Short mmCIF file of all heavy atoms in Angstrom, two decimals:
data_model
loop_
_atom_site.label_atom_id
_atom_site.label_comp_id
_atom_site.label_asym_id
_atom_site.label_seq_id
_atom_site.Cartn_x
_atom_site.Cartn_y
_atom_site.Cartn_z
N ARG R 27 -2.19 -4.08 -19.27
CA ARG R 27 -2.87 -3.03 -18.48
C ARG R 27 -2.59 -3.31 -17.00
O ARG R 27 -2.23 -4.37 -16.73
CB ARG R 27 -4.40 -2.94 -18.83
CG ARG R 27 -5.10 -4.17 -18.42
CD ARG R 27 -6.63 -4.01 -18.78
NE ARG R 27 -7.29 -5.28 -18.54
CZ ARG R 27 -7.94 -5.59 -17.33
NH1 ARG R 27 -7.82 -4.80 -16.33
NH2 ARG R 27 -8.51 -6.73 -17.26
N ASP R 28 -2.88 -2.24 -16.35
CA ASP R 28 -2.78 -2.45 -14.75
C ASP R 28 -3.80 -3.48 -14.37
O ASP R 28 -4.86 -3.54 -14.85
CB ASP R 28 -2.97 -1.06 -14.04
CG ASP R 28 -1.81 -0.11 -14.23
OD1 ASP R 28 -0.72 -0.62 -14.55
OD2 ASP R 28 -2.01 1.05 -14.22
N PRO R 29 -3.44 -4.20 -13.30
CA PRO R 29 -4.41 -5.22 -12.79
C PRO R 29 -5.66 -4.52 -12.22
O PRO R 29 -5.48 -3.48 -11.50
CB PRO R 29 -3.61 -6.15 -11.77
CG PRO R 29 -2.47 -5.19 -11.40
CD PRO R 29 -2.17 -4.28 -12.51
N VAL R 30 -6.83 -5.16 -12.30
CA VAL R 30 -8.02 -4.76 -11.66
C VAL R 30 -8.31 -5.76 -10.64
O VAL R 30 -8.62 -6.89 -10.87
CB VAL R 30 -9.13 -4.59 -12.74
CG1 VAL R 30 -10.46 -4.20 -12.01
CG2 VAL R 30 -8.83 -3.75 -13.90
N TRP R 31 -8.13 -5.34 -9.34
CA TRP R 31 -8.36 -6.15 -8.28
C TRP R 31 -9.78 -6.25 -7.72
O TRP R 31 -10.47 -5.17 -7.73
CB TRP R 31 -7.51 -5.90 -6.99
CG TRP R 31 -5.99 -5.91 -7.42
CD1 TRP R 31 -5.21 -4.82 -7.69
CD2 TRP R 31 -5.16 -7.11 -7.64
NE1 TRP R 31 -3.96 -5.36 -8.07
CE2 TRP R 31 -4.03 -6.77 -7.96
CE3 TRP R 31 -5.50 -8.47 -7.49
CZ2 TRP R 31 -2.72 -7.56 -8.19
CZ3 TRP R 31 -4.40 -9.38 -7.65
CH2 TRP R 31 -3.16 -8.89 -8.01
N PRO R 32 -10.37 -7.36 -7.31
CA PRO R 32 -11.69 -7.39 -6.73
C PRO R 32 -11.74 -6.49 -5.51
O PRO R 32 -10.62 -6.32 -4.79
CB PRO R 32 -11.90 -8.82 -6.44
CG PRO R 32 -10.85 -9.67 -7.06
CD PRO R 32 -9.73 -8.68 -7.47
N GLN R 33 -12.79 -5.97 -5.10
CA GLN R 33 -13.06 -5.17 -3.91
C GLN R 33 -12.42 -5.83 -2.63
O GLN R 33 -11.99 -5.16 -1.68
CB GLN R 33 -14.44 -4.66 -3.77
CG GLN R 33 -14.54 -3.54 -2.73
CD GLN R 33 -13.56 -2.35 -3.05
OE1 GLN R 33 -13.69 -1.95 -4.20
NE2 GLN R 33 -13.11 -1.77 -2.05
N ALA R 34 -12.72 -7.12 -2.51
CA ALA R 34 -12.29 -7.81 -1.29
C ALA R 34 -10.78 -7.82 -1.10
O ALA R 34 -10.27 -7.65 -0.02
CB ALA R 34 -12.75 -9.28 -1.39
N VAL R 35 -10.05 -7.88 -2.21
CA VAL R 35 -8.54 -7.67 -2.17
C VAL R 35 -8.19 -6.32 -1.79
O VAL R 35 -7.21 -6.18 -0.95
CB VAL R 35 -7.94 -8.16 -3.51
CG1 VAL R 35 -6.46 -7.84 -3.55
CG2 VAL R 35 -8.27 -9.63 -3.79
N MET R 36 -8.86 -5.39 -2.38
CA MET R 36 -8.61 -3.88 -2.12
C MET R 36 -8.89 -3.59 -0.63
O MET R 36 -8.00 -2.89 -0.07
CB MET R 36 -9.42 -3.03 -2.93
CG MET R 36 -9.12 -3.21 -4.44
SD MET R 36 -7.53 -2.69 -4.98
CE MET R 36 -7.62 -0.99 -4.60
N ASP R 37 -9.86 -4.22 0.01
CA ASP R 37 -10.22 -4.03 1.39
C ASP R 37 -9.18 -4.52 2.31
O ASP R 37 -8.79 -3.89 3.38
CB ASP R 37 -11.55 -4.62 1.74
CG ASP R 37 -12.77 -3.99 1.01
OD1 ASP R 37 -12.53 -2.82 0.60
OD2 ASP R 37 -13.79 -4.51 0.94
N VAL R 38 -8.52 -5.70 1.98
CA VAL R 38 -7.54 -6.20 2.90
C VAL R 38 -6.11 -5.65 2.64
O VAL R 38 -5.17 -5.82 3.35
CB VAL R 38 -7.44 -7.71 2.90
CG1 VAL R 38 -8.77 -8.38 3.38
CG2 VAL R 38 -6.99 -8.23 1.51
N SER R 39 -5.98 -4.79 1.52
CA SER R 39 -4.66 -4.30 1.18
C SER R 39 -4.59 -2.81 1.52
O SER R 39 -3.58 -2.31 1.08
CB SER R 39 -4.59 -4.44 -0.41
OG SER R 39 -4.57 -5.75 -0.77
N VAL R 40 -5.39 -2.26 2.36
CA VAL R 40 -5.23 -0.91 2.68
C VAL R 40 -4.14 -0.69 3.58
O VAL R 40 -3.97 -1.54 4.62
CB VAL R 40 -6.57 -0.50 3.45
CG1 VAL R 40 -6.48 1.01 3.97
CG2 VAL R 40 -7.72 -0.53 2.45
N ILE R 41 -3.29 0.35 3.33
CA ILE R 41 -2.15 0.64 4.21
C ILE R 41 -2.54 1.65 5.27
O ILE R 41 -2.89 2.81 4.72
CB ILE R 41 -0.85 0.99 3.34
CG1 ILE R 41 -0.48 -0.19 2.49
CG2 ILE R 41 0.24 1.38 4.32
CD1 ILE R 41 0.57 0.09 1.43
N GLU R 42 -2.41 1.51 6.40
CA GLU R 42 -2.82 2.53 7.37
C GLU R 42 -1.74 3.68 7.42
O GLU R 42 -0.57 3.55 7.06
CB GLU R 42 -2.81 1.86 8.71
CG GLU R 42 -3.97 0.86 8.82
CD GLU R 42 -4.10 0.21 10.25
OE1 GLU R 42 -3.56 0.81 11.09
OE2 GLU R 42 -4.63 -0.86 10.24
N ALA R 43 -2.18 4.85 7.77
CA ALA R 43 -1.36 5.93 7.67
C ALA R 43 -0.10 5.88 8.63
O ALA R 43 0.92 6.40 8.34
CB ALA R 43 -2.13 7.29 7.96
N ASP R 44 -0.20 5.30 9.78
CA ASP R 44 0.81 5.19 10.84
C ASP R 44 1.45 3.77 10.73
O ASP R 44 2.17 3.42 11.72
CB ASP R 44 0.25 5.44 12.18
CG ASP R 44 -0.80 4.37 12.64
OD1 ASP R 44 -1.36 3.75 11.73
OD2 ASP R 44 -1.06 4.38 13.79
N ASP R 45 1.53 3.08 9.66
CA ASP R 45 2.17 1.89 9.39
C ASP R 45 3.69 1.98 9.62
O ASP R 45 4.20 2.75 8.75
CB ASP R 45 1.83 1.26 8.06
CG ASP R 45 2.35 -0.10 7.98
OD1 ASP R 45 3.04 -0.64 8.83
OD2 ASP R 45 2.01 -0.81 6.86
N PRO R 46 4.31 1.41 10.51
CA PRO R 46 5.72 1.61 10.72
C PRO R 46 6.58 1.04 9.57
O PRO R 46 7.75 1.26 9.55
CB PRO R 46 6.07 0.92 12.04
CG PRO R 46 5.03 0.03 12.24
CD PRO R 46 3.88 0.43 11.59
N TYR R 47 6.02 0.06 8.75
CA TYR R 47 6.80 -0.60 7.81
C TYR R 47 6.51 -0.03 6.36
O TYR R 47 6.99 -0.50 5.36
CB TYR R 47 6.45 -2.12 7.76
CG TYR R 47 6.83 -2.75 9.00
CD1 TYR R 47 5.79 -3.09 9.99
CD2 TYR R 47 8.11 -2.93 9.47
CE1 TYR R 47 6.15 -3.69 11.25
CE2 TYR R 47 8.49 -3.52 10.69
CZ TYR R 47 7.45 -3.87 11.48
OH TYR R 47 7.87 -4.45 12.71
N ASP R 48 5.68 1.05 6.34
CA ASP R 48 5.51 1.62 5.05
C ASP R 48 6.70 2.37 4.50
O ASP R 48 7.20 3.24 5.25
CB ASP R 48 4.25 2.73 5.19
CG ASP R 48 3.83 3.27 3.81
OD1 ASP R 48 4.02 2.58 2.85
OD2 ASP R 48 3.29 4.32 3.80
N GLU R 49 7.18 1.99 3.38
CA GLU R 49 8.35 2.58 2.71
C GLU R 49 8.11 3.18 1.39
O GLU R 49 7.15 2.52 0.68
CB GLU R 49 9.48 1.61 2.59
CG GLU R 49 9.97 1.01 3.94
CD GLU R 49 10.89 2.02 4.64
OE1 GLU R 49 11.34 3.01 3.99
OE2 GLU R 49 11.14 1.96 5.81
N PRO R 50 8.65 4.17 0.84
CA PRO R 50 9.48 5.06 1.60
C PRO R 50 8.66 6.08 2.41
O PRO R 50 7.59 6.35 2.17
CB PRO R 50 10.21 5.79 0.40
CG PRO R 50 9.25 5.82 -0.74
CD PRO R 50 8.55 4.55 -0.52
N ARG R 51 9.33 6.41 3.45
CA ARG R 51 8.62 7.43 4.35
C ARG R 51 9.58 8.64 4.60
O ARG R 51 10.75 8.49 4.53
CB ARG R 51 8.24 6.79 5.67
CG ARG R 51 9.41 6.27 6.49
CD ARG R 51 8.87 5.66 7.84
NE ARG R 51 10.04 5.08 8.52
CZ ARG R 51 10.14 3.71 8.46
NH1 ARG R 51 9.25 2.97 7.82
NH2 ARG R 51 11.21 3.26 9.12
N GLY R 52 8.97 9.64 5.14
CA GLY R 52 9.66 10.78 5.33
C GLY R 52 10.54 11.41 4.30
O GLY R 52 10.01 11.66 3.12
N ASP R 53 11.75 11.67 4.40
CA ASP R 53 12.55 12.22 3.30
C ASP R 53 13.42 11.19 2.60
O ASP R 53 14.44 11.42 2.09
CB ASP R 53 13.49 13.33 3.84
CG ASP R 53 14.35 12.84 5.00
OD1 ASP R 53 14.16 11.73 5.47
OD2 ASP R 53 15.29 13.62 5.48
N THR R 54 12.92 9.85 2.69
CA THR R 54 13.66 8.78 2.00
C THR R 54 13.59 9.02 0.52
O THR R 54 12.56 9.18 -0.08
CB THR R 54 13.14 7.40 2.42
OG1 THR R 54 13.08 7.29 3.82
CG2 THR R 54 13.82 6.36 1.76
N PRO R 55 14.80 9.02 -0.18
CA PRO R 55 14.70 9.23 -1.67
C PRO R 55 14.06 8.22 -2.26
O PRO R 55 14.14 7.00 -1.95
CB PRO R 55 16.29 9.49 -2.01
CG PRO R 55 16.93 8.87 -0.88
CD PRO R 55 16.10 8.88 0.31
N ILE R 56 13.39 8.40 -3.44
CA ILE R 56 12.80 7.42 -4.22
C ILE R 56 13.59 7.29 -5.55
O ILE R 56 13.82 8.29 -6.31
CB ILE R 56 11.26 7.76 -4.52
CG1 ILE R 56 10.58 7.88 -3.24
CG2 ILE R 56 10.66 6.71 -5.49
CD1 ILE R 56 9.12 8.34 -3.28
#
């Protein structure tokens, strides 16, 4: 099954909307 992470891990793993390293972005094909 998919992993169930503790809330503390979820809190530090949030990706901000303007993160310059977030991929794929824009029209990048997946």
Side-chain angles (χ1 to χ4, degrees):
R27 62 181 173 92
D28 290 335
V30 178
W31 299 102
Q33 190 58 41
V35 173
M36 297 299 288
D37 292 341
V38 297
S39 302
V40 174
I41 299 174
E42 296 180 19
D44 61 344
D45 186 359
Y47 301 104
D48 188 22
E49 292 288 341
R51 64 175 170 262
D53 57 350
T54 304
I56 300 173

